């Protein structure tokens, strides 16, 4: 079992930036991939970005060129750097740690993009 604690959400104006953090209770190398997902009201949870233990990264088309996923191995932490935020980015953002087809989730952090 792993504990994932997200932080960094909040209210930001369109065009602004935020950095989300996901701190894991054990080495992130013990997982096949670490990822960020989001769920907006009335919508299904969707992948935003993930990074494998080998460093391969993928992004959803809706955030490509605006968001960047990164990690600090020494701190067991994965980040999501979000730039040029849009109102449609408003959602609860969740961190996920995946291994052998199973995933553990954090509690989520709210991101609201509004003027």
């Amino acid at each position: 079992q792993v504990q994932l604690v997200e932080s960094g959400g909040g209210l930001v104006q369109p065009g602004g930036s935020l950095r989300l953090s996901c701190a894991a209770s054990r080495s992130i190398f013990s997982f096949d991939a670490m990822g960020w997902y989001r769920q907006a009201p009335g919508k299904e949870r969707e992948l935003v970005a993930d990074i494998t233990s080998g460093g391969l990264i993928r992004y959803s088309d809706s955030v490509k060129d605006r968001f960047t996923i990164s990690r600090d191995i020494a701190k067991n932490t994965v980040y999501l750097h979000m730039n040029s935020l849009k109102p449609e980015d408003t959602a609860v953002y969740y961190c996920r740690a995946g291994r052998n087809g199973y995933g553990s989730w954090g509690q989520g952090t709210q991101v609201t993009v509004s003027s």
Side-chain angles (χ1 to χ4, degrees):
Q1 191 74 7
V2 62
Q3 279 71 52
L4 302 171
V5 179
E6 300 105 331
S7 61
L11 173 63
V12 63
Q13 292 186 342
S17 300
L18 282 175
R19 188 185 77 165
L20 305 183
S21 300
C22 171
S25 59
R26 68 171 195 257
S27 172
I28 58 178
F29 270 151
S30 64
F31 303 100
D32 299 326
M34 300 288 297
W36 286 97
Y37 291 71
R38 67 186 181 186
Q39 187 166 19
K43 295 187 177 181
E44 294 186 353
R45 193 171 297 188
E46 62 175 359
L47 173 71
V48 176
D50 63 8
I51 180 168
T52 69
S53 56
L56 295 177
I57 292 173
R58 59 176 177 171
Y59 296 98
S60 70
D61 289 341
S62 61
V63 307
K64 200 173 297 183
D65 300 325
R66 299 189 297 122
F67 291 10
T68 303
I69 189 170
S70 66
R71 63 188 178 184
D72 186 329
I73 296 167
K75 294 182 179 179
N76 294 328
T77 299
V78 177
Y79 303 98
L80 185 68
H81 307 259
M82 306 186 293
N83 297 318
S84 303
L85 283 161
K86 304 175 181 180
E88 51 263 43
D89 294 317
T90 295
V92 178
Y93 285 70
Y94 297 91
C95 179
R96 180 184 185 271
R99 178 176 170 80
N100 295 334
Y102 294 93
S104 297
W105 296 90
Q107 82 287 352
T109 185
Q110 176 71 45
V111 171
T112 302
V113 185
S114 175
S115 56

